[in-house]
Amino acid sequence: LLLPLEDSGMKTRLVAPARQLINLPKIEGLGYTRIFLPPGDLSYIYLENDGRTVVSHYPDAEEKDPFITVYFSLLFLVTALLIKILTLDLHPSNALRQILASRPSGVEILLVAAIIPAIFVLESYSGLTPFDSTISPAVISAYYSIFILLFFLAHRGVIAEQSFGLTRINILRSLVLSSAAVFIITIFSALKFPSGFINTGAAYTGLIKTFSFCFIFSLGRELFWRGYFQTVMERLLGKWSGITATVAVITMYHFSSASLNEPQLLESYNRMLEIFFFVPGTAFLLSFIYLRSRNILSCSLLQSMLLFLPQVLVF
């Protein structure tokens, strides 16, 4: 017997464990999770037997809140302001100034045109999903292969020298900067302090392993998207136009992947909210923190914590 669930209290009680116990499509953005139904006549039904899941489906949890974009726009703005305040004393090195003042060569632009489609095919085939910590090792290998290629070409003088700000003194600064940003994002997304960690099966060893995997992926990804692509865009279009182009390309990158892998889910309001609001918002913060710090560790740590914390924190 299947009945529509109208009791909001019961709905909340049923959906909470569903987000961790069953593997169904969900939307995540900066700690903000949305679960939704497919289009058409399909429905998810969640049944219980003595408090335990017997059918891995659940009722519609998609809600259209008009104030979400306003609230999270303010959160993006506050986070960007915090990043700016914490980086007021930072300035690009002379070597980086020279790189930014030069126009990108034809080879550098051709590399962008060749690398993005190649990595897009690989990530889409691997099931690219924004804010998802399920990462394919093949994608990680591809990003570090790209970094090695860029390093080799720069060393041979084919492209400009790459400056990622990877110095010893920047490590501590990156930790402080990214931790402050992710603290604001996490607390004001959930509107509460975390109460503990989800059981990872191996206690702190499991947490360290999970975070390490997220960080290795994020560093490889940011070395290309912020360290190379954004820098080329800034040199080609100017500082803010370059950041705008970076955010736009990343947004269309995720939209194109969703169109290929999950075209039916594009009818979901929250799916569109994720792709055209949370993805560009997060991409802007990552671009902005790199712009202000010129340190690839800052944006890499921020992205890795945004991937890591939602899957281990309990609120």
Side-chain angles (χ1 to χ4, degrees):
L1 178 62
L2 308 179
L3 298 175
L5 182 61
E6 297 179 354
D7 186 329
S8 60
M10 181 176 291
K11 177 179 179 179
T12 300
R13 181 171 61 86
L14 297 180
V15 168
R19 284 158 52 171
Q20 298 180 12
L21 295 179
I22 60 181
N23 185 22
L24 288 175
K26 64 181 181 179
I27 294 299
E28 294 180 353
L30 298 178
Y32 173 74
T33 302
R34 290 283 160 173
I35 306 171
F36 55 89
L37 288 181
D41 298 326
L42 300 178
S43 298
Y44 287 143
I45 308 299
Y46 188 99
L47 303 178
E48 283 194 324
N49 182 15
D50 296 328
R52 303 185 64 181
T53 306
V54 294
V55 177
S56 58
H57 298 287
Y58 50 88
D60 185 5
E62 176 164 285
E63 300 172 358
K64 297 181 180 180
D65 188 343
F67 297 103
I68 287 175
T69 54
V70 176
Y71 178 81
F72 279 92
S73 294
L74 292 174
L75 180 57
F76 286 134
L77 181 61
V78 169
T79 306
L81 181 61
L82 174 68
I83 292 171
K84 183 173 183 178
I85 292 173
L86 293 177
T87 56
L88 286 174
D89 62 322
L90 296 181
H91 304 284
S93 64
N94 290 331
L96 181 58
R97 289 178 187 273
Q98 292 179 359
I99 293 174
L100 294 175
S102 65
R103 296 279 295 181
S105 66
V107 173
E108 290 172 306
I109 296 175
L110 285 174
L111 279 173
V112 167
I115 291 174
I116 289 182
I119 199 68
F120 171 78
V121 171
L122 181 58
E123 285 203 282
S124 296
Y125 179 78
S126 301
L128 173 67
T129 303
F131 314 108
D132 189 357
S133 59
T134 305
I135 304 162
S136 168
V139 173
I140 296 178
S141 300
Y143 274 116
Y144 281 96
S145 297
I146 291 170
F147 169 69
I148 293 172
L149 172 64
L150 296 176
F151 181 81
F152 174 77
L153 293 176
H155 181 71
R156 297 298 297 267
V158 178
I159 63 175
E161 288 290 332
Q162 304 301 293
S163 178
F164 301 114
L166 296 175
T167 62
R168 184 179 302 176
I169 196 173
N170 283 339
I171 295 177
L172 180 59
R173 188 62 176 264
S174 300
L175 285 170
V176 173
L177 183 58
S178 56
S179 296
V182 83
F183 176 81
I184 296 295
I185 291 170
T186 301
I187 297 304
F188 286 94
S189 294
L191 296 178
K192 63 177 71 173
F193 287 92
S195 58
F197 294 101
I198 297 174
N199 182 15
T200 59
Y204 293 106
T205 303
L207 293 175
I208 293 173
K209 182 183 295 185
T210 303
F211 176 75
S212 299
F213 194 69
C214 290
F215 175 72
I216 291 171
F217 166 72
S218 299
L219 178 60
R221 208 164 197 266
E222 292 305 297
L223 282 169
F224 172 70
W225 284 105
R226 243 57 62 169
Y228 183 75
F229 178 71
Q230 179 177 320
T231 302
V232 170
M233 290 297 100
E234 287 185 53
R235 293 166 59 198
L236 181 65
L237 304 173
K239 181 170 64 175
W240 292 110
S241 296
I243 288 180
T244 301
T246 301
V247 172
V249 168
I250 290 174
T251 300
M252 294 310 300
Y253 186 91
H254 284 281
F255 174 73
S256 300
S257 179
S259 299
L260 290 174
N261 294 325
E262 305 170 316
Q264 73 281 5
L265 299 182
L266 294 179
E267 297 181 25
S268 165
Y269 165 80
N270 287 329
R271 187 59 161 170
M272 292 295 96
L273 185 69
E274 178 194 51
I275 292 176
F276 291 108
F277 181 74
F278 284 111
V279 166
T282 306
F284 169 75
L285 287 181
L286 293 171
S287 292
F288 187 68
I289 198 172
Y290 180 69
L291 171 72
R292 296 293 303 176
S293 68
R294 289 303 177 184
N295 177 2
I296 206 68
L297 285 179
S298 298
C299 50
S300 300
L301 284 169
L302 177 57
Q303 181 177 159
S304 60
M305 284 191 277
L306 290 176
L307 293 174
F308 170 71
L309 292 179
Q311 65 174 319
V312 299
L313 291 182
V314 176
F315 291 92

